[in-house]
Amino acid sequence: MSTTATKPQASDPTAPADRVVRTARKRKNRRTNPWGVVAWIAAIGFFFPVFWMVLTAFKQEADAYSDPPKFFFSPTLDQFRAVFETGVGTSLLNSAFATIVSTVLVLLLGVPAAFALSLRPVRKTKDVLFFFISTKMLPVVAAIIPLYVIVADIGLLDNIWALVILYTAMNLPIAVWMMRSFFLEVPGELLEAASMDGASLWTTVRELILPLVSPGIAATALICVIFSWNEFFFAVNLTAVQAQTIPVFLVGFITGEGLYWARLSAAATMAALPVVLAGWLAQNKLVRGLSFGAIK
């Protein structure tokens, strides 16, 4: 009588490790759940004013002033029509022009400066950087009188180009600091290898460096867009009608007769929408750019 020996079934050596990993993940999730709830509560608390603004924009003025507040109402577009009738288009175009042109100028000036201060440093780099950032420490209200006199003397009062120049000067220091941190993450060996291969400096920057730091450029550009779009102090003091920007336009809804909450909410929603869309379209590069300095 012959007996057939059964071959023992091979066990998967990775199975115990997988079980350990799954158990550790479950324990970690149980530990971090309370913090997740706290994060959600904080996020909802920060987002609720924006949600309430958008909700109020679709109300009538009577519903916007109701006490207690109305969550259920018949939505209407009357407030948006009223805002368009007051000439919001001109203010939006002025803000868009000043923001886009100043941001392009900041990148054209700031990227080469940041490159020179990082991969091609100059003498007394720290002094130069401190000078750049020290310009942000000056209170704006302390400079408004000489700026007003200069702008009036050169004939740029109520002219959008005055805001373009000021926004460029306002955003350039922070752009140089941000872009320098991104350039510092680029290995210097890449420049040496490209130089050994016979590539010129301009070719190396265009073909190698700029693609690597493009997320940082996108993040810097978005920061400049937000600062320029939301700037109010220069705009309200140096413009009147022709160069009026959207933040100045919003102030016009605060009158001696009272506040038009629904109409103001509609105008504020329209003012916030372009920046929100810009951030949403650039979110992938923005996340990569903001985390660029944390990853070697």
Side-chain angles (χ1 to χ4, degrees):
M1 182 176 176
S2 62
T3 58
T4 305
T6 24
K7 186 178 181 180
Q9 190 175 5
S11 59
D12 186 3
T14 62
D18 290 341
R19 285 196 296 270
V20 171
V21 171
R22 286 196 297 268
T23 303
R25 285 178 179 174
K26 289 179 181 179
R27 291 177 179 174
K28 184 178 180 180
N29 289 336
R30 284 196 294 268
R31 287 197 302 267
T32 56
N33 271 340
W35 291 110
V37 173
V38 171
W40 272 104
I41 293 174
I44 292 173
F46 280 112
F47 179 73
F48 183 78
V50 179
F51 167 75
W52 191 253
M53 176 189 72
V54 176
L55 195 67
T56 306
F58 292 94
K59 293 180 179 180
Q60 297 288 354
E61 289 294 342
D63 295 331
Y65 271 101
S66 63
D67 188 17
K70 287 186 178 180
F71 286 91
F72 302 99
F73 57 91
S74 298
T76 178
L77 296 176
D78 291 345
Q79 309 305 328
F80 291 95
R81 295 192 191 98
V83 171
F84 273 109
E85 291 173 359
T86 56
V88 68
T90 303
S91 299
L92 285 172
L93 289 176
N94 286 335
S95 288
F97 182 84
T99 299
I100 293 172
V101 175
S102 64
T103 301
V104 171
L105 291 176
V106 165
L107 293 180
L108 290 177
L109 297 173
V111 170
F115 178 79
L117 294 172
S118 57
L119 301 182
R120 288 288 187 267
V122 296
R123 292 181 59 188
K124 298 187 177 180
T125 298
K126 292 184 179 180
D127 295 338
V128 173
L129 288 172
F130 177 76
F131 171 74
F132 282 156
I133 205 65
S134 65
T135 60
K136 300 291 292 180
M137 302 175 188
L138 177 68
V140 181
V141 69
I144 190 59
I145 294 179
L147 284 176
Y148 185 91
V149 173
I150 293 172
V151 171
D153 287 344
I154 62 178
L156 289 182
L157 275 181
D158 201 15
N159 191 309
I160 195 63
W161 283 104
L163 296 183
V164 169
I165 296 171
L166 289 173
Y167 292 171
T168 302
M170 176 184 71
N171 290 327
L172 188 57
I174 191 67
V176 171
W177 272 78
M178 288 184 65
M179 286 307 306
R180 179 177 178 269
S181 66
F182 298 133
F183 278 122
L184 286 175
E185 296 298 326
V186 178
E189 291 79 5
L190 291 178
L191 287 175
E192 296 177 3
S195 178
M196 292 178 64
D197 290 340
S200 64
L201 179 60
W202 170 243
T203 302
T204 303
V205 172
R206 187 182 69 247
E207 302 291 339
L208 186 63
I209 304 299
L210 289 183
L212 286 175
V213 299
S214 59
I217 295 176
T220 304
L222 187 58
I223 294 296
C224 293
V225 165
I226 293 173
F227 286 170
S228 299
W229 186 270
N230 294 331
E231 200 283 323
F232 174 76
F233 191 78
F234 287 143
V236 76
N237 285 285
L238 301 178
T239 66
V241 179
Q242 296 180 2
Q244 185 185 67
T245 58
I246 193 65
V248 181
F249 175 81
L250 293 178
V251 178
F253 291 96
I254 304 174
T255 65
E257 301 173 359
L259 294 176
Y260 294 90
W261 285 113
R263 194 172 300 180
L264 179 59
S265 298
T269 301
M270 295 171 59
L273 190 59
V275 177
V276 172
L277 289 177
W280 180 71
L281 292 174
Q283 59 181 333
N284 292 333
K285 286 190 175 296
L286 179 63
V287 172
R288 289 178 57 198
L290 294 178
S291 61
F292 196 90
I295 302 173
K296 289 289 183 183

